Amino acid sequence: MQESVWYIVPLLPIFIMFFISALAETNRTPFDLPEAESELVAGFMTEHSGMIFVFFFLAEYCSIVLISTFTAIIFLGGYHAPYMFQNNTFISMQSLILGFKALIFMFIFVWIRATLPRMRYDQLIVFCWTGMLPMAIALLILVPSILIAFDISPIV
């Protein structure tokens, strides 16, 4: 379905909401409120050390890799490349293309962590209830309405 146009182009508002939700799900910087609970003693991991600490951070970064790969598959066409990068030889570039697209999103995760400050609890609640929820409900009504109004079939 995404060979002609990637879903990130027509569904940009949905992608933005999805990516903000992915940041919150992986506890990255604007939404890493568990880490901010006790900043005087370096966060919520103070009682963990050694391999337990490593496993917690390994799980955190594995979730970033998983969400980045899902985002590349859902919104950037997965392993499909534009026509100028097509390779019709016996060498398959599909896994490299998907990996590169996932790396783009992993870079954006790190970039956002280095750029944005942490939100307070009251700011997060206001952002979710007055920003994200009305936008999600509006898009839940708008996108199917556009599909029905223009007689666009989602299945080809």
Side-chain angles (χ1 to χ4, degrees):
M1 291 293 296
Q2 297 188 51
E3 287 182 16
S4 59
V5 62
W6 290 341
Y7 285 160
I8 197 170
V9 175
L11 301 176
L12 186 63
I14 294 174
F15 166 73
I16 292 170
M17 288 189 59
F18 178 84
F19 197 73
I20 290 171
S21 301
L23 282 172
E25 180 64 28
T26 56
N27 288 332
R28 296 308 279 177
T29 288
F31 307 105
D32 62 344
L33 297 177
E35 191 173 333
E37 281 184 18
S38 57
E39 293 217 59
L40 296 175
V41 290
F44 69 106
M45 293 279 191
T46 55
E47 56 271 351
H48 303 297
S49 65
M51 287 307 292
I52 296 171
F53 182 77
V54 169
F55 285 139
F56 273 116
F57 272 84
L58 185 65
E60 181 179 331
Y61 283 102
C62 284
S63 68
I64 291 170
V65 171
L66 181 70
I67 292 289
S68 297
T69 306
F70 280 161
T71 307
I73 290 170
I74 294 171
F75 289 103
L76 288 185
Y79 58 83
H80 291 293
Y83 276 124
M84 62 184 175
F85 297 111
Q86 291 291 333
N87 185 9
N88 293 329
T89 63
F90 66 94
I91 299 171
S92 177
M93 302 288 287
Q94 295 174 344
S95 60
L96 293 176
I97 292 168
L98 179 61
F100 179 72
K101 290 177 183 179
L103 277 174
I104 291 171
F105 287 114
M106 286 183 244
F107 173 75
I108 293 173
F109 269 92
V110 173
W111 187 16
I112 288 175
R113 181 173 179 113
T115 305
L116 295 179
R118 183 176 293 131
M119 297 175 77
R120 294 189 323 253
Y121 281 103
D122 61 331
Q123 291 173 334
L124 178 68
I125 290 170
V126 167
F127 174 70
C128 289
W129 283 100
T130 63
M132 295 290 283
L133 184 65
M135 181 73 80
I137 292 171
L139 288 173
L140 187 67
I141 295 169
L142 180 69
V143 172
S145 300
I146 291 173
L147 292 176
I148 290 172
F150 291 110
D151 197 30
I152 300 171
S153 174
I155 300 173
V156 175

